[in-house]
Amino acid sequence: MLWRASATALMVCIVSVLAIPMASAESPSELLEKGIYTEETVGDLAEAIRVYKQVVTEGKESRTAAAHAQYRIGLCYEKQGETKKATDAFQAVVDEYPTEKELVAQAKSHLPSELQLLPAPWGEGDELIFEMKLQTGLGVGMQVFRIAKSKLDERDVWECQNWQIVTINGQRGKSRVFADANTFAPIQSTWKHTMLGKASAEYRDGEVRIQLANKNEPVVLKSDGSWFDNEQAAEVFRRMPLEENYQTKIRVISSLGAAEIPIGLEVTKLESITVPAGTFECFQLKLEIGQTFWISNDEHRYIVRFEAGGVTADLTEIRNSQESIQTTVERERFSVKLPANWYAYTPNSPDQNDDPSTQIIDPNASMDARIEGGPLKKLQAKHGTVRQWLEASLAEYEKRISTFKIGGEGIQTVRVGDREGVSAVFEYVENNKAKKARRVAVFGDESAVNLRFTADADIFETLQPSCEQILANLNLK
């Protein structure tokens, strides 16, 4: 039975081998030394990077070793001529290992120098108006970038304002940033959005204090470098010394997110594009966060187009922000001159609706306002008189809104341009917020128009003088 005994001996041998403890895996420090040897002695940079990345991955065991490895990755990429990868690696040392002071200082020495901005290309100020579209060509909103010289506590500043309205979900946003007239460093900002909320930020030496609407205490972020507010970023792009293959990284503060966001940027090419405002040769500026801006290659450095989240915004109009401009709206059913600093947007569509709704945007984007028109004969056949039309509309509101309550004055006769119309004010609650609205209806010779003004109840009355001005300047066709 020799073969059986030999088999038993072999099995014992295998069990014995399995029972012997395996040699312990290399520690992060040992791997770091291995990477340095591979980089400096063997000269195999690709393999060294692989080893360093392993150290970074296992960084929970040794943050110091991981920081050194991350720094070494940057050095390897520099030797390979991979400038962007090297910059990203060194920036990661700064962002991920702030307590490793010596390494952070060394990493910063390899990063591009402090961003040098060009002189302001907008003169005294300008206003850029965009239409946002989906890939299908359907218009879904409007964006306005406005910058102008201003004063803040007797200090010379640039005032950056941004309006946005999205028609597919009814969202509106408005932001304002005051930036130093010389350095363009942010001083304070406000940002409110109907979906995301409200926030304000105060910038001081080395810190920013962010107050969110739903928080009692501010969020305080600290930094030993320069940063910009997210809502002035478009203007920062315009002042960059752009050229082909230009690369840099900036840090922006998102007040609504209460966070600092590092953003890498790169000019990928120079190309000519045509938008409603004209044809421009542009730098294509790609952001590593998935957005792209086209900046004109001329003395104005206009933002001509930007893309983000599947939406493309094209420049439709350029205006002088130093003038008090009153927008005149011309539509098939009506025309109206809006108060100064109000905007209007009517979405474009490949399958154009004969009577699309025109959105009206007030200076603070605080009111949901719109004008809608239709053929008079069609409305009269269904409702008879303008009063009956308004009564039917109010009845529909009452069916849909359980908290609906019409104002004590009921339906009143009002002047709309040179015509007589009817108006009613009502209240309701939406998302635990008291709302107040006004509905106005008027018949023309061939057209019927209704206007809707809705705002939070506590500010509704302050907006009524502007609403009256709109009604006085509305002409039906």
Side-chain angles (χ1 to χ4, degrees):
M1 303 295 291
L2 182 60
W3 66 271
R4 186 173 295 176
S6 298
T8 301
L10 179 60
M11 182 61 70
V12 171
C13 181
I14 292 174
V15 172
S16 299
V17 170
L18 292 176
I20 297 174
M22 297 293 292
S24 60
E26 293 172 289
S27 69
S29 297
E30 290 171 332
L31 280 172
L32 180 61
E33 291 299 325
K34 179 180 178 181
I36 295 173
Y37 175 81
T38 305
E39 174 193 350
E40 297 184 347
T41 303
V42 179
D44 188 344
L45 297 178
E47 175 61 18
I49 290 173
R50 187 194 68 78
V51 176
Y52 290 143
K53 286 184 176 180
Q54 187 178 347
V55 179
V56 173
T57 300
E58 299 175 2
K60 289 182 179 179
E61 296 183 26
S62 175
R63 293 281 293 171
T64 298
H68 275 86
Q70 184 64 56
Y71 174 73
R72 284 281 179 173
I73 291 172
L75 293 178
C76 289
Y77 280 134
E78 271 192 342
K79 293 175 183 178
Q80 290 180 330
E82 296 277 6
T83 305
K84 185 177 186 306
K85 290 182 178 180
T87 297
D88 289 345
F90 290 128
Q91 187 65 50
V93 176
V94 176
D95 295 338
E96 302 297 330
Y97 306 97
T99 58
E100 301 292 332
K101 302 294 186 182
E102 189 173 327
L103 275 176
V104 166
Q106 293 179 40
K108 283 183 175 181
S109 70
H110 291 269
L111 291 171
S113 58
E114 196 78 12
L115 178 64
Q116 299 297 312
L117 299 179
L118 298 175
W122 44 74
E124 296 290 301
D126 62 25
E127 186 172 276
L128 308 181
I129 302 175
F130 299 81
E131 180 175 25
M132 299 184 288
K133 294 183 178 181
L134 301 178
Q135 293 180 350
T136 60
L138 176 66
V140 295
M142 175 185 185
Q143 184 115 359
V144 178
F145 292 120
R146 185 182 192 190
I147 185 164
K149 282 188 174 181
S150 186
K151 289 279 189 180
L152 180 66
D153 299 329
E154 303 304 318
R155 179 177 178 179
D156 290 331
V157 296
W158 288 111
E159 182 180 7
C160 309
Q161 297 188 74
N162 179 10
W163 290 263
Q164 183 187 84
I165 185 168
V166 180
T167 57
I168 54 177
N169 57 14
Q171 299 300 322
R172 301 179 310 282
K174 168 67 191 300
S175 65
R176 174 178 301 183
V177 179
F178 291 104
D180 183 84
N182 297 315
T183 66
F184 211 51
I187 303 168
Q188 67 180 41
S189 71
T190 57
W191 189 7
K192 66 176 182 178
H193 191 276
T194 50
M195 181 174 65
L196 302 177
K198 299 178 183 179
S200 61
E202 294 281 348
Y203 291 84
R204 305 172 184 176
D205 291 339
E207 72 173 33
V208 56
R209 301 175 69 85
I210 300 170
Q211 184 63 61
L212 299 173
N214 59 345
K215 301 290 185 182
N216 293 326
E217 296 297 324
V219 176
V220 180
L221 304 178
K222 295 185 179 295
S223 172
D224 58 358
S226 63
W227 46 24
F228 298 100
D229 194 279
N230 181 77
E231 296 303 289
Q232 69 175 140
E235 287 78 22
V236 173
F237 300 158
R238 294 177 66 184
R239 293 188 62 174
M240 288 180 172
L242 303 178
E243 60 183 8
E244 290 188 88
N245 301 316
Y246 173 83
Q247 295 180 9
T248 192
K249 186 181 285 280
I250 64 172
R251 295 181 296 167
V252 301
I253 298 297
S254 169
S255 56
L256 282 179
E260 176 186 322
I261 305 172
I263 302 176
L265 312 95
E266 178 181 10
V267 173
T268 54
K269 62 180 176 180
L270 192 62
E271 63 176 330
S272 179
I273 64 173
T274 299
V275 296
T279 298
F280 302 83
E281 183 183 60
C282 297
F283 296 105
Q284 187 187 83
L285 184 66
K286 282 190 173 293
L287 282 58
E288 63 183 9
I289 58 175
Q291 300 178 10
T292 305
F293 285 74
W294 282 261
I295 314 292
S296 66
N297 181 23
D298 56 28
E299 70 274 20
H300 303 293
R301 285 294 206 262
Y302 294 128
I303 298 171
V304 177
R305 171 181 291 164
F306 62 89
E307 290 183 351
V311 173
T312 298
D314 282 347
L315 181 63
T316 61
E317 188 178 356
I318 302 166
R319 307 202 301 194
N320 182 349
S321 66
Q322 295 295 308
E323 299 176 0
S324 181
I325 299 173
Q326 288 186 269
T327 300
T328 299
V329 183
E330 292 284 350
R331 298 291 181 258
E332 181 182 358
R333 305 291 178 186
F334 66 88
S335 66
V336 64
K337 178 178 279 189
L338 300 177
N341 300 320
W342 285 60
Y343 301 91
Y345 172 66
T346 305
N348 289 312
S349 171
D351 303 318
Q352 185 67 60
N353 181 350
D354 290 339
D355 297 298
S357 175
T358 295
Q359 306 283 326
I360 306 298
I361 310 168
D362 64 90
N364 292 314
S366 55
M367 173 174 278
D368 181 1
R370 64 192 67 190
I371 307 175
E372 297 171 332
L376 177 63
K377 288 183 179 180
K378 184 177 179 181
L379 267 297
Q380 280 185 319
K382 187 174 181 181
H383 300 292
T385 68
V386 68
R387 177 176 287 269
Q388 290 171 343
W389 182 28
L390 181 55
E391 287 173 342
S393 298
L394 295 174
E396 286 299 317
Y397 283 122
E398 191 168 13
K399 287 180 184 178
R400 298 198 316 265
I401 306 172
S402 62
T403 55
F404 175 88
K405 180 182 178 182
I406 194 165
E409 297 178 343
I411 296 177
Q412 292 187 306
T413 300
V414 295
R415 296 300 299 177
V416 180
D418 59 355
R419 299 179 186 274
E420 189 175 275
V422 289
S423 172
V425 174
F426 57 92
E427 301 176 3
Y428 63 98
V429 176
E430 182 179 74
N431 297 324
N432 298 317
K433 184 74 174 179
K435 296 283 187 178
K436 204 166 185 177
R438 183 181 183 186
R439 184 76 179 255
V440 182
V442 60
F443 282 171
D445 295 330
E446 299 179 354
S447 302
V449 168
N450 77 79
L451 303 91
R452 286 181 281 174
F453 305 106
T454 306
D456 291 345
D458 57 353
I459 64 169
F460 180 82
E461 295 302 332
T462 64
L463 293 163
Q464 288 313 294
S466 294
C467 295
E468 291 293 343
Q469 188 177 341
I470 291 171
L471 293 176
N473 291 328
L474 180 67
N475 295 304
L476 273 67
K477 299 177 181 179

